[in-house]
Amino acid sequence: MLGRSLASSSWLAWDPRLGQEVLLCVPRAQPQGVSEKDAWTQDVLASARLKHPRLAEVLEVGAHEAWPFVTCVREGAATLAERLAAPPALTPIESASLICDVLEGLAYAHEAGASHQDIGLHSVLLDGSGRAMLAGLSAGLMQLGPGELPRPRDSRHMARQNAERDVLMVGLLLHRLLANHPALDDPDFNSAAKRVGPEIVRLPWTTPHPVPETLRAIVNRATDRQHRQRYLSARTLLSALQGWLKTNSQESGGPLLLLLDRLNAVGVLPSRPGTEAVLARALKADTLRVDDFVDVVVKNPAVVWELLRSVNVASFRSRSSDDGVTTLSRAVMLLGQQGIRRVAGAVRAWPGALGAQGSVNEEAGLEATSMLRAQLRLTCLAGHLARLLTPFSVHDEEASVTAMSQRLGMLLILYHFPDEGAQIRRLMQPGPPPEPGAAPTPGMTLEAAAGAVLGINLDDLTQAVLRHWGLHDRLQQGARPLNLKTPVRTPQTQEEILRTVASLSNEMVNASILEPAKSVSALHQTYQRYARALGVTPKECNATLEHATRLVDARPAAEPVNPA
C-alpha cells in the first residue's frame, strides 16, 4: 500500500501482462447496486479518455470479485506521500510549482466535465524530474453513513460543487506542504474540506521554511471559511500561483515579467479622460512656459510617467549627461516642444485597451473604465497634495511624482488585468457576519487581495517598473509607502522626506473617499500620525486637501463635463 483516504487507496502492483509496475487505485467502498456500479464505471472511463501531461495515464478499468479498480502508469514515479516521508521538507517554491502541475491537470479535467473528488498525498505522483501528475480521477467511493442517501449523479449543480470541492482540497494540500502538517489535524483532505467553514483554517507561522506573505495570502484564500472568498475554479488558483512563481523567480525577471508584453503592446496607461484637449492646446502654443505646462501634465499620470521614462533611458542619459531626471520641468526642458509632442502622441487616448474589453463585455468594460477613471483622479489628487505639503528642503515636483508612483501598481493592475482587478475589489468588500447579530466579516487589505489573486506584491511591482524605466533611486525608494502599522518617524534625509510626504498624501486620499461618517475620523487619525514627523496641523491638512481637490477637478469652460 502506498497510501489511502476515506474514499480510495493506492497500491504498488505488478501487471504480469504488461511486465511492469503499475499504480492500483481501489475505492474504499463497493458500489451500491448495479446502477451505482455502472455510474462509477462511466465516470472513470470518461476520465480515462482524458489525455494531459499532468494526468496519469490510465491502463485499465475493471473489477475483481465485485471490487472495481483502476490501474495507472507508474514508470518509476513516486506518490507525494512517499516523497514527504523522506527529508528535506519541500520549499515554498517547490510546493507552489508542484501544486501548479496538479492544477493544470485538474483544470483540464474540470473543463472536460470530470472531477477527482479524492485528492490526497496518495493520488499525486511525482516523476523523475519532479513534475506532478494527478492519478485516480473519479475512482474514489466512500462508505455511505447510516441514513445517508445514495450519491446523486449527472447533475450540473453537483458537477460544479465537485469541482469547487476539488479546488478546496488542493488548497488543503498546499497548506499541508507548506506547514508540513495537515490542516485541522485531519490527513484526509475530503474530510477536512467538509469542516472548512464551520472551522477556520489558517497557515501557521511555525513552518519548516519561511512562507512569503503573498503566498500565505494565496493559501489562506484557498481555504477561507467563506465560500465567496475562495478560489472557485482551478484556473484562478493556478493563475495566482503562477503569478507568484514568476515574481519570485530571479531568472524570470521578477514582477515585471507579468507586464512587459502588455507594456510594449498597449502602453503603460491611457490618457486621463478630460485632459487630452487641454494638453493638445498647450502643445499648440507658440511658446511653451515650463511651469504652466507642468501644471497641465500633473493632471495626466500617463503623460507624467511617459515623460520621465523617455528622459531616463540609457541612450538619452548619455546625450544629456544627466545622472537621472527626477522632475517634470527638467524633462520638459530636455525634450523640447517637438520631443514632448512625440512623447504625448505615444500615450493612448482614453480608454485605451479597455475599450476592446468593453466591446466584448459591456458591463465588465464599464466597471473597469469607471474604476480606472476614479483611480487616475485619486492619483492626481495624491500628487497635488504632496506638491502642496512638501517642505522647502525638497523639490515639490519630486514629491508629486513620488506620491503618484505609490499608486502605480494598482493602476497597472486595473488597466492591464481588469478581470483580476475586479476580483481584488470583491475580496476587499466586507463579508456577511459569521453569526446573526455579529459584525460583518472584514474584507482583505489591498495587498492581501492582490497577492491572493495575482500572486504579486503591488509595491514590488511598482519598484520593478520604475527600475525598468531607469528612474532615480530616490523616486524608487519613495514609491514604497510607509507601513501603516508602525509609527511615523521624523524623516532625516531627502529620500525619507519624499517617502513620508508621499505616504501622508496617499493616506489622506484613501481616508477622504470613505463614507462621510468614517472619513472625518480616518483623516484625523492620519493627521495625528504625521503631526510630529512633518510638523503639520489638522487645519493645514484640511485646507490643503480642499485646495488640491479644487485643482484636480477644475475644468476649463470649453471642456466637456463627462468625457468618456
Side-chain angles (χ1 to χ4, degrees), residues 10 16 48 71 94 119 295 304 306-307 334 385 400 496 503 515:
S10 296
T71 61
E94 289 172 333
I119 296 169
D295 289 339
V304 168
E306 192 64 28
L307 283 171
L334 287 172
L385 277 171
S400 182
E496 290 177 353
S503 297
E515 300 172 12

Side-chain angles (χ1 to χ4, degrees), residues 85-102:
L90 295 172
T91 66
I93 286 183
E94 289 172 333
S95 299
S97 299
L98 186 152
I99 295 298
C100 281
D101 287 344
V102 172

Side-chain angles (χ1 to χ4, degrees), residues 99-164:
I99 295 298
C100 281
D101 287 344
V102 172
L103 287 167
E104 285 181 18
L106 193 62
Y108 180 80
H110 287 172
E111 287 157 6
S115 59
H116 194 287
Q117 304 180 52
D118 187 34
I119 296 169
L121 301 181
H122 67 297
S123 59
V124 176
L125 295 176
L126 300 180
D127 62 20
S129 62
R131 299 298 300 274
M133 296 178 292
L134 200 53
L137 275 175
S138 308
L141 272 178
M142 285 193 293
Q143 192 75 40
L144 291 175
E148 192 172 351
L149 297 174
R151 290 167 274 262
R153 297 274 177 172
D154 300 325
S155 164
R156 183 176 299 179
H157 176 68
M158 183 59 64
R160 186 177 70 251
Q161 282 190 332
N162 289 338
E164 291 177 1

Side-chain angles (χ1 to χ4, degrees), residues 270-290:
S271 188
R272 182 181 167 220
T275 62
E276 296 100 327
V278 183
L279 181 62
R281 285 199 296 271
L283 288 173
K284 288 178 181 177
D286 295 333
T287 58
L288 190 67
R289 293 190 68 248
V290 174

Side-chain angles (χ1 to χ4, degrees), residues 66-85:
W67 280 95
F69 68 85
V70 178
T71 61
C72 300
V73 173
R74 165 94 169 175
E75 290 185 346
T79 65
L80 187 52
E82 291 176 287
R83 165 62 184 87
L84 296 181

Side-chain angles (χ1 to χ4, degrees), residues 273-274 350 373 555 559-564:
W350 178 262
R373 181 190 294 111
R555 297 182 182 278
E559 190 178 333
V561 175
N562 185 27

